Amino acid sequence: MINKREKRKRIFYVPGIISLVFIPLLCLYSWYRKDVFKSEGCIDIYFPEKSFTKSNLESIKRNYQVFNFNSSEVLESKDLKNLQTVLRKMNRENDTINGVQIHLGNKMAYEVYVRILDILAIEQMPTYQQYNNDFFVLMLPKPKADKNLREITPITCGYWEANKEFVLKERKEKQFQYVLALYKKYWYLFLAYLGIVVLNIFALVKFNKTK
């Protein structure tokens, strides 16, 4: 005789549902109101003495192509793209005859200034100088390669994005050297661990054969 299976009554724990659903939503709303998810950043900028900057610029002769910016980033988007294209070509060809002069108008938005710095960092322009309301960007002749000398990577002081690739590469190399030093120092521990693993595998195979 088969007993008839009775359906169990589903139990809903209302306080538990409220805790699982509404409390996380209230937390997200509270964090959103307090701008917890909003990220902010800053750029450190250093301006050398005007006399020093002027003397440096006057000592280097270039045929400068001028870009004028005097509005918002939206209105200047086309000129910003053209600027990036020109800088990319100049850096790729190591053009030491021409240069770029970027004029900052009185009505130019701050976001355009930040975008110009971003473009200089993205295109990895090694040499640029701001003098008054102008940026002067140029390429310097590259010295002949000497295999006996260590490669020199230019660093843009105070600007993380420009040096990010180099810094991360340095950190990765230091971490690799640190791990390699640990392996060399404690090689016998790793060898003993490997031996234990092999011994356990051998014992397991032997146990299965005799079972």
Side-chain angles (χ1 to χ4, degrees), residues 141-198:
K142 293 183 178 179
K144 295 182 179 180
D146 188 348
K147 296 181 179 180
N148 297 323
L149 296 177
R150 182 184 176 186
E151 182 181 356
I152 299 176
T153 303
I155 297 294
T156 306
C157 297
Y159 197 50
W160 161 254
E161 287 296 329
N163 311 311
K164 180 172 66 175
E165 184 178 350
F166 172 73
V167 173
L168 292 178
K169 182 180 179 182
E170 288 286 310
R171 288 180 181 176
K172 188 175 180 180
E173 180 64 24
K174 288 182 180 179
Q175 186 178 8
F176 174 76
Q177 293 297 334
Y178 174 74
V179 174
L180 186 61
L182 288 179
Y183 279 117
K184 290 181 179 179
K185 186 176 182 180
Y186 301 105
W187 62 269
Y188 54 90
L189 294 178
F190 296 102
L191 183 62
Y193 176 76
L194 181 62
I196 293 173
V197 172
V198 173

Side-chain angles (χ1 to χ4, degrees), residues 6-24:
E6 295 181 357
K7 291 185 178 180
R8 293 183 179 180
K9 184 179 180 181
R10 294 183 179 180
I11 300 175
F12 294 96
Y13 185 59
V14 178
I17 296 177
I18 295 174
S19 300
L20 291 173
V21 178
F22 290 101
I23 291 180

Side-chain angles (χ1 to χ4, degrees), residues 9-202:
K9 184 179 180 181
R10 294 183 179 180
I11 300 175
F12 294 96
Y13 185 59
V14 178
I17 296 177
I18 295 174
S19 300
L20 291 173
V21 178
F22 290 101
I23 291 180
L25 291 177
L26 288 174
C27 290
L28 290 173
Y29 178 73
S30 176
W31 292 339
Y32 178 76
R33 288 290 302 273
K34 294 180 180 179
D35 292 331
V36 175
F37 301 106
K38 184 178 180 181
S39 60
E40 296 181 354
C42 64
I43 300 175
D44 295 328
I45 302 174
Y46 167 74
F47 296 99
E49 292 292 334
K50 289 185 177 180
S51 58
F52 176 77
T53 305
K54 186 176 181 182
S55 61
N56 278 347
L57 292 174
E58 289 179 347
S59 63
I60 303 175
K61 303 299 181 181
R62 293 289 187 275
N63 299 322
Y64 287 102
Q65 181 178 351
V66 182
F67 288 86
N68 291 289
F69 296 99
N70 199 32
S71 187
S72 66
E73 184 178 3
V74 176
L75 297 177
E76 301 286 5
S77 60
K78 183 177 180 180
D79 288 338
L80 288 169
K81 290 180 181 179
N82 291 336
L83 170 65
Q84 187 168 3
T85 302
V86 171
L87 292 179
R88 183 179 300 144
K89 182 175 183 293
M90 188 170 69
N91 194 358
R92 183 177 65 249
E93 299 178 355
N94 192 34
D95 189 350
T96 58
I97 298 176
N98 302 300
V100 171
Q101 179 180 352
I102 306 171
H103 181 70
L104 315 177
N106 295 329
K107 296 181 180 180
M108 186 194 73
Y110 175 71
E111 58 189 7
V112 178
Y113 184 82
V114 175
R115 180 58 183 158
I116 291 172
L117 292 177
D118 285 340
I119 292 174
L120 293 172
I122 292 170
E123 299 306 327
Q124 300 180 352
M125 302 307 298
T127 310
Y128 59 88
Q129 182 70 61
Q130 183 175 357
Y131 178 70
N132 291 335
N133 292 331
D134 293 273
F135 270 106
F136 294 88
V137 189
L138 49 90
M139 300 296 298
L140 297 177
K142 293 183 178 179
K144 295 182 179 180
D146 188 348
K147 296 181 179 180
N148 297 323
L149 296 177
R150 182 184 176 186
E151 182 181 356
I152 299 176
T153 303
I155 297 294
T156 306
C157 297
Y159 197 50
W160 161 254
E161 287 296 329
N163 311 311
K164 180 172 66 175
E165 184 178 350
F166 172 73
V167 173
L168 292 178
K169 182 180 179 182
E170 288 286 310
R171 288 180 181 176
K172 188 175 180 180
E173 180 64 24
K174 288 182 180 179
Q175 186 178 8
F176 174 76
Q177 293 297 334
Y178 174 74
V179 174
L180 186 61
L182 288 179
Y183 279 117
K184 290 181 179 179
K185 186 176 182 180
Y186 301 105
W187 62 269
Y188 54 90
L189 294 178
F190 296 102
L191 183 62
Y193 176 76
L194 181 62
I196 293 173
V197 172
V198 173
L199 184 63
N200 278 275
I201 294 174
F202 177 77

